[in-house]
Every structure is written in C-alpha cells, then in structure tokens.
Amino acid sequence: MNRLFDIFRNKYFLSTAAFVVWMLFFDKNDMLSQYEYRTEVHKLQQEKDFYETETAKVKKDLNELNTNLNTAEKFAREKYFMKKDNEDVFVIIREDAKN
C-alpha cells in the first residue's frame, strides 16, 4: 500500500496525469469537441452524398432533354403542368388517410 502512495506522489506520474486530464477536458480539442466534430463531418458527408445523387439525376434529365424532343414535351407536361391550347390539365393530389 505504501508503494502505491509512492507511485501517486511521483512527479512524473503527476505530470502525466495532469497532462492527460488537461487534454481530455480542458484543451480546445477535448473529447466533447472531437465528438461534435465527428458528428458534423458525418452529417456533411450525408449531405454531400445526397447532392451528388441529385446532381447525377439532373445531369441525366438534362441529357435526355437535349437529345430527344418527345422527352422535352413529356418533361414540361409532368413537371411544369404545361399544356396545348385545346387541352385541359387536371392535377390530382392524393392525401394520406389520417387515423
């Protein structure tokens, strides 16, 4: 037991313990900050993946619109509800059944 107290009174052990406590709790890059940084990076990575997939979809649609006139007409009718002069457009919006 006396040997254990000698280890805790050792100046090298005390300085190492103080350094570890300082780095874990009081430094600007402490453990809580590192956790927050990791969650932020994960969130930003998900946003990046989402925008990359959306960009790929838009590029595919743009390529189809530039190559085929029928596709352009279909796109204008579906997305922007455009119509010819002698046509009527009916938009049906389905609502979810509420319990």
Side-chain angles (χ1 to χ4, degrees):
M1 190 71 167
N2 195 15
R3 185 164 175 93
L4 186 63
F5 289 126
D6 289 339
I7 291 174
F8 285 130
R9 283 191 242 167
N10 186 345
K11 63 182 176 182
Y12 298 113
F13 176 77
L14 290 176
S15 63
T16 303
F19 176 75
V20 168
V21 167
W22 180 265
M23 293 305 286
L24 288 177
F25 301 109
F26 301 114
D27 192 44
K28 77 172 190 172
N29 295 322
D30 60 352
M31 295 298 286
L32 181 62
S33 298
Q34 292 298 320
Y35 176 74
E36 291 171 356
Y37 294 152
R38 284 190 181 145
T39 56
E40 183 71 19
V41 165
H42 182 68
K43 184 181 116 190
L44 291 173
Q45 185 65 36
Q46 286 178 338
E47 286 182 20
K48 178 185 169 196
D49 294 340
F50 171 75
Y51 287 124
E52 284 177 349
T53 56
E54 289 297 315
T55 303
K57 288 178 188 176
V58 168
K59 284 182 181 180
K60 180 182 163 238
D61 288 342
L62 181 63
N63 188 23
E64 288 179 12
L65 289 173
N66 287 336
T67 57
N68 192 352
L69 184 60
N70 292 334
T71 307
E73 183 179 347
K74 178 183 173 190
F75 184 80
R77 287 175 177 266
E78 289 178 357
K79 298 286 183 179
Y80 297 110
F81 305 115
M82 293 183 175
K83 65 181 186 81
K84 294 181 181 176
D85 290 334
N86 59 353
E87 291 181 336
D88 292 328
V89 175
F90 296 98
V91 178
I92 300 173
I93 301 173
R94 298 180 189 223
E95 294 183 8
D96 295 335
K98 295 185 180 182
N99 295 330

